[in-house]
């Protein structure tokens, strides 16, 4: 048998052997992959110890928000829980559903999830949001009205972290020019005032720059209605209140008091800011942008604020929105305590107030601490003063997200004149029934 | 793909294990008016937008092939929309289409006495507005492909035509277009496929509205999967889309006489 002699690798013209080059490329490739993997992940965070909290949510999207999360929330939490690190992933609201869905499918869900009003029911139903013990509320001083959006089938599945909502604002100068003394107290008064405000180039009321679904729900609440029954298993808006709400919106258009085509586009000033509109239906989180872009329009002298009026039989109200915080089902029993502690920590004034200032929201507390910057936010101040009139109109059922996605086009069809109020409600009822049948 | 097809016969909400339900998803799809409306919108966007953008791209390619001054700049400018993020494009067109005097389109029209149009909130104009954006965005790549193809056509053919006294139009019709047939087929097929993949433009520009007047099939699939949590149904919709694309590709091949010798 011939002895086989290992041949030496051929040398190449640049002096490196082929084997050395291959080895170099291999090392470079592995090193590059390692660098790439370490760069993956969208959130900042510090991995300090035994329990790293995985956080996911639509807040803290920019560098200012990240700084608040790190210094005002996490670092203060670490004073009592030094072994806890965190990793935060920012996902805007319009991508949150998709992100949570893929997380569920992949079996990798974050520990703490910041979501919105109306999200608790579907995610509690599918098991993503764990039930929270009632004791978690002890001593937090959360306003009872704000807890409504967090309860599903009599169990708490979220805490109302930062609250915002939809309110009406009006241009005082335009009101005074028409001799209108003050905001309306009923829906009929609102319609009358809107008619009086009609003028060349002015659309009296803008209800379409806000979410179509939220606008309809606001008027639904004003008529004393709600979308689903209290148990979330049946339809409630087909009692006449849903149709009345749609008809009211159609009537505003037909009066010439509202214009479906006049809506704020993303990145554009609101029609109200351009003085094309006298009354605006707006979300409280718009305050930072509004006060920055149009400071002269949001002063006490220039702008009035009012609640959505009732129909004469119901109280005025404002629609709760904002951010809720939940614990996911992936949190193991041994880590529950840390997660609960972190969730409670979010309500410490030193952790909550900076977020409220940043986001233009209010902390969900019965008695929020005095804060000059917060009260300079007129929307926040208004909502805090009117917490008793807050209504959790969105959600109410595990089929909420499905219903909302399919119902909004029906409302748009009504607003564009393609169908009447009754037909719209009939179609929305079909949508809701089909969704509920799937439960 | 096999897994997706298998999943299309199940009811799957991403939490519980998939449950076999036979053809129920496909039955639901065939009864879903919104789904077929979205399919129709894709057909309209493609049927209107693709030929127009191909024609414009071809004309631009022919012009640029003549070696005009500043050719590189023109080529870059025309190609830029193709490489720009769709989110950025959507933001720009949201401004262009703003329904007030602030919108560029309305500002231009106002110079001719035309009143402000509600481009994206009027059900009569929303889809057309989307088509315009797709045409604008699609010209660049097509132009580049045509330009590359034009440069492979032998000059001798044109010289021979000149000798025979052919006009520019005749040369274009009898030399250029036949020579570009394989490329045309390629552009057509890829454009059709890209058309049915349109998602981010709709997501950012109109969210399928108003009143589902601009929804497209990929957007419906997205809603089904991530708003309704019906992954089985979403995969069934995707299978339908796949079948449609295969059929359209085969038809396009037959119509344009495309072959593997392109």
């Amino acid at each position: 048998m011939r002895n086989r002699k290992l041949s030496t690798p051929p040398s190449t013209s640049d002096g490196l052997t082929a084997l050395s080059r291959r080895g170099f490329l291999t090392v470079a490739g592995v090193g590059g992959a390692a660098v790439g993997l370490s760069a993956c992940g969208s959130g900042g965070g510090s991995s300090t110890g035994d329990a790293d909290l995985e956080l996911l949510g639509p807040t803290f999207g920019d560098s200012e928000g990240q700084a608040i999360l790190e210094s005002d929330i996490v670092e203060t939490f670490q004073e009592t829980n030094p072994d806890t690190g965190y990793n935060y992933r920012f996902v805007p609201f319009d991508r949150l559903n998709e992100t949570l869905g893929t997380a569920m499918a992949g079996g990798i869900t974050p520990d703490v999830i910041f979501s919105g009003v109306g999200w608790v029911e579907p995610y509690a139903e599918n098991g993503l949001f764990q039930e929270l013990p009632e004791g978690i509320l002890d001593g937090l001083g959360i306003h009872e009205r704000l807890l409504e959006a967090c309860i599903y089938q009599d169990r708490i599945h979220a805490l109302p972290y930062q609250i915002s909502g939809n309110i009406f604002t009006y241009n005082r100068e335009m009101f005074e020019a028409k001799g209108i003394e003050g905001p309306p107290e009923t829906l009929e008064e609102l319609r009358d005032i809107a008619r009086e405000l009609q003028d060349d180039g002015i659309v009296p009321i803008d209800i379409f720059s806000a979410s179509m679904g939220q606008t309809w729900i606001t008027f639904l609440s004003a008529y004393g209605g709600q979308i689903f029954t209290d148990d979330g298993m049946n339809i409630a808006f087909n009692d006449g209140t849903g149709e009345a709400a749609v008809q009211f919106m159609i009537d505003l258009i037909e009066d010439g008091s509202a214009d479906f085509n006049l809506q704020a586009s993303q990145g554009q000033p609101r029609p109200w800011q351009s003085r094309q509109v006298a009354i605006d239906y707006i979300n409280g989180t718009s305050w930072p942008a509004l006060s920055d872009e149009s400071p002269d329009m949001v002063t006490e002298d220039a702008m009035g604020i009012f609640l959505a009026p009732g129909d004469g039989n119901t109280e005025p109200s404002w629609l709760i929105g904002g951010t809720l915080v939940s614990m996911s089902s992936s949190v193991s029993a041994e880590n529950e305590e840390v997660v609960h502690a972190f969730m409670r920590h979010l309500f410490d004034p030193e952790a909550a107030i900076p977020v409220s200032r940043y986001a233009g929201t209010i902390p969900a507390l019965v008695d929020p601490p005095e804060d000059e910057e917060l009260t300079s936010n007129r929307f926040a101040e208004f909502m805090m003063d009117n917490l008793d009139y807050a209504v959790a109109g969105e959600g109410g059922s595990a089929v909420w997200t499905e219903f909302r996605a399919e119902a909004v086009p029906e409302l748009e069809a009504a607003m564009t004149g393609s169908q009447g109020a009754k037909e719209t409600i009939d179609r929305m009822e079909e949508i809701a029934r089909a969704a509920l049948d799937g439960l | 793909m096999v897994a997706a097809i298998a999943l299309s016969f199940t009811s799957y909400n991403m939490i519980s294990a998939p449950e076999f339900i036979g053809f129920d998803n496909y039955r639901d799809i065939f009864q879903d008016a919104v789904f077929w409306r979205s399919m129709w919108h894709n057909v309209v966007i493609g049927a209107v937008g693709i030929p127009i953008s191909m024609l414009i791209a071809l004309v631009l390619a022919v012009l640029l092939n003549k070696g005009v001054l500043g050719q590189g700049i023109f080529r870059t400018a025309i190609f830029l929309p193709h490489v720009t993020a769709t989110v950025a494009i959507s933001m720009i067109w949201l401004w262009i289409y703003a329904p007030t005097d602030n919108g560029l389109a309305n500002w231009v029209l106002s110079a001719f006495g035309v009143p402000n149009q509600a481009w994206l909130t009027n059900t009569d104009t929303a889809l057309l507005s989307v088509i315009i954006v797709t045409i604008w965005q699609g010209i660049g790549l097509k132009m580049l492909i045509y330009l590359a193809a034009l440069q492979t056509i032998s000059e001798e053919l044109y010289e021979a035509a000149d000798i025979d006294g052919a006009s520019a139009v005749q040369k274009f019709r009898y030399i250029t277009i036949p020579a570009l047939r394989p490329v045309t087929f390629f552009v057509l097929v890829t454009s059709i496929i890209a058309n049915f993949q349109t998602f981010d433009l709709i997501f950012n520009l109109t969210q399928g509205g108003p009143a589902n007047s601009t929804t497209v099939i990929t957007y419906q699939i997205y809603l089904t999967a991530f708003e309704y949590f019906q992954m089985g149904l979403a995969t069934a919709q995707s299978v339908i889309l796949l079948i449609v694309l295969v059929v359209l590709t085969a038809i396009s091949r037959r119509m344009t006489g495309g072959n593997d010798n392109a």
Side-chain angles (χ1 to χ4, degrees):
Chain A
M1 181 182 292
R2 283 170 63 184
N3 288 330
R4 293 190 66 203
K5 203 174 179 181
L6 289 174
S7 57
T8 54
S11 56
T12 58
S13 58
D14 61 6
L16 289 174
T17 63
L19 185 60
S20 295
R21 179 183 293 136
R22 189 181 308 130
F24 171 78
L25 289 173
T26 302
V27 169
V30 169
V35 169
L37 284 172
S38 67
C40 276
S42 57
S46 62
S47 204
T48 60
D50 302 331
D52 280 354
L53 292 173
E54 296 292 326
L55 315 175
L56 175 80
T59 323
F60 317 119
D62 54 15
S63 55
E64 183 187 349
Q66 294 269 348
I68 291 172
L69 172 66
E70 177 137 2
S71 58
D72 294 307
I73 297 176
V74 176
E75 284 179 6
T76 52
F77 180 69
Q78 287 172 334
E79 288 170 6
T80 49
N81 296 270
D83 294 332
T84 307
Y86 82 104
N87 188 33
Y88 177 72
R89 184 173 168 202
F90 167 73
V91 177
F93 257 120
D94 59 0
R95 300 275 180 177
L96 193 56
N97 232 359
E98 160 194 338
T99 304
L100 290 176
T102 50
M104 286 190 298
I108 305 171
T109 51
D111 300 315
V112 177
I113 301 168
F114 297 90
S115 65
V117 174
W119 294 62
V120 166
E121 293 87 351
Y123 285 107
E125 174 71 19
N126 67 25
L128 179 62
F129 288 359
Q130 267 202 58
E131 179 185 356
L132 300 170
E134 282 199 29
I136 199 171
L137 298 172
D138 292 345
L140 289 183
I142 292 177
H143 198 289
E144 205 174 82
R145 280 299 271 265
L146 305 177
L147 266 179
E148 285 177 22
C150 305
I151 294 173
Y152 177 62
Q153 294 184 340
D154 297 323
R155 298 193 195 98
I156 303 170
H157 288 275
L159 299 178
Y161 175 43
Q162 291 285 335
I163 297 303
S164 183
N166 290 10
I167 50 179
F168 284 91
T169 62
Y170 66 96
N171 185 310
R172 289 192 193 276
E173 188 184 328
M174 290 183 185
F175 266 46
E176 284 161 18
K178 293 291 183 179
I180 301 168
E181 287 184 356
E185 293 185 5
T186 65
L187 289 176
E188 271 313 301
E189 281 185 32
L190 175 61
R191 195 171 165 194
D192 291 339
I193 286 174
R195 283 200 209 99
E196 287 178 49
L197 285 164
Q198 289 181 24
D199 208 337
D200 284 341
I202 299 290
V203 174
I205 181 167
D206 178 6
I207 54 173
F208 297 115
S209 291
S211 149
M212 174 71 75
Q214 289 177 349
T215 302
W216 172 69
I217 293 169
T218 296
F219 293 122
L220 173 69
S221 301
Y223 281 106
Q226 56 190 58
I227 306 174
F228 299 103
T229 52
D230 290 343
D231 61 3
M233 300 303 288
N234 219 326
I235 301 166
F237 65 82
N238 56 350
D239 61 352
T241 54
E243 185 179 338
V246 176
Q247 190 61 56
F248 183 80
M249 295 164 70
I250 292 174
D251 288 345
L252 285 176
I253 295 174
E254 289 179 353
D255 281 349
S257 298
D259 184 356
F260 178 72
N261 296 320
L262 188 68
Q263 299 177 27
S265 303
Q266 198 176 359
Q268 300 291 313
R270 298 178 73 85
W272 190 82
Q273 290 175 266
S274 311
R275 298 174 200 274
Q276 296 169 300
V277 162
I279 301 173
D280 196 10
Y281 184 55
I282 191 170
N283 188 278
T285 53
S286 301
W287 176 263
L290 213 56
S291 57
D292 190 46
E293 294 163 12
S294 310
D296 57 326
M297 292 189 70
V298 298
T299 62
E300 181 69 44
D301 292 334
M303 179 184 75
I305 309 173
F306 62 94
L307 298 170
D311 66 349
N313 298 315
T314 55
E315 283 189 328
S317 63
W318 59 276
L319 191 69
I320 296 173
T323 306
L324 313 181
V325 59
S326 301
M327 181 174 75
S328 88
S329 53
S330 67
V331 174
S332 60
E334 61 197 28
N335 286 336
E336 266 181 26
E337 200 177 313
V338 171
V339 175
H340 287 168
F342 180 78
M343 291 173 72
R344 287 177 56 84
H345 173 71
L346 292 173
F347 291 84
D348 276 0
E350 61 181 7
I353 295 296
V355 180
S356 300
R357 287 190 214 126
Y358 159 71
T361 52
I362 59 172
L365 303 173
V366 172
D367 193 16
E370 291 288 326
D371 183 83
E372 196 179 312
E373 191 175 331
L374 201 55
T375 48
S376 71
N377 177 337
R378 292 190 59 212
F379 291 167
E381 186 187 36
F382 184 82
M383 287 187 288
M384 281 193 287
D385 290 343
N386 290 282
L387 279 174
D388 289 340
Y389 297 102
V391 169
E394 292 187 283
S397 172
V399 302
W400 162 243
T401 51
E402 179 178 350
F403 170 73
R404 176 188 60 184
E406 291 196 81
V408 165
E410 299 300 335
L411 290 169
E412 290 175 340
M415 298 307 121
T416 54
S418 302
Q419 60 193 28
K422 182 162 188 339
E423 184 183 352
T424 299
I425 290 300
D426 287 344
R427 292 169 76 95
M428 289 169 69
E429 188 177 340
E430 280 173 27
I431 291 166
R433 286 210 189 286
L436 288 168
D437 286 346
L439 277 182
Chain B
M1 191 169 83
V2 172
I5 293 173
L7 208 56
S8 69
F9 294 100
T10 70
S11 170
Y12 177 44
N13 65 1
M14 295 188 281
I15 286 283
S16 319
E19 180 191 335
F20 181 75
I21 56 172
F23 286 92
D24 284 359
N25 285 332
Y26 291 97
R27 191 197 60 215
D28 290 343
I29 288 171
F30 283 105
Q31 294 172 353
D32 185 350
V34 176
F35 178 81
W36 293 108
R37 189 176 177 189
S38 68
M39 180 79 75
W40 174 245
H41 291 158
N42 274 112
V43 170
V44 170
I45 292 171
V48 175
I50 293 175
I52 293 175
S53 63
M54 286 175 69
L55 180 61
I56 296 173
L58 178 57
V59 169
L60 290 173
V62 168
L63 291 173
L64 287 172
N65 196 39
K66 293 187 185 307
V68 296
L69 188 64
Q71 176 179 332
I73 295 172
F74 286 120
R75 202 163 50 198
T76 303
I78 295 167
F79 191 63
L80 209 54
H82 177 74
V83 296
T84 304
T86 310
V87 172
I89 288 174
S90 302
M91 296 301 294
I92 291 168
W93 281 93
L94 280 172
W95 166 66
I96 293 173
Y97 282 143
T100 60
D101 295 336
N102 296 330
L104 180 62
N106 282 334
W107 181 78
V108 169
L109 288 178
S110 65
F112 299 95
V114 178
N116 287 343
Q117 301 297 307
W119 299 98
L120 295 174
T121 53
N122 185 334
T123 51
D124 293 333
T125 57
L127 190 61
L128 175 63
S129 304
V130 168
I131 291 172
I132 291 172
V133 180
T134 61
I135 290 172
W136 173 83
Q137 193 181 16
I139 289 172
L141 181 62
K142 297 180 181 69
M143 180 275 300
L144 213 61
I145 294 172
Y146 274 130
L147 188 59
L150 283 169
Q151 291 170 0
T152 65
I153 299 175
S154 172
E155 277 299 317
E156 291 176 356
L157 294 173
Y158 293 105
E159 287 168 5
D162 284 335
I163 292 170
D164 289 342
S167 66
V169 172
Q170 286 174 318
K171 282 187 284 187
F172 182 76
R173 186 179 168 192
Y174 293 109
I175 299 176
T176 307
I177 291 181
L180 290 178
R181 181 183 286 173
V183 171
T184 298
F185 170 70
F186 171 77
V187 169
L188 180 64
V189 169
T190 53
S191 298
I192 290 172
I193 293 171
N195 167 47
F196 278 90
Q197 290 175 331
T198 302
F199 170 76
D200 38 4
L201 187 67
I202 300 298
F203 185 88
N204 290 295
L205 211 58
T206 64
Q207 296 84 53
N212 286 329
S213 61
T214 60
T215 189
V216 292
I217 193 165
T218 47
Y219 190 71
Q220 285 302 307
I221 293 171
Y222 165 81
L223 290 178
T224 304
F226 299 111
E227 292 282 336
Y228 313 158
F229 298 121
Q230 294 176 27
M231 196 57 86
L233 180 58
T235 52
Q237 292 172 336
S238 302
V239 169
I240 298 285
L241 174 60
L242 172 65
I243 294 170
V244 167
L245 284 175
V246 167
V247 168
L248 283 175
T249 304
I251 293 173
S252 303
R253 187 182 174 91
R254 197 171 181 83
M255 284 171 63
T256 57
N259 56 60
D260 292 331
N261 298 323

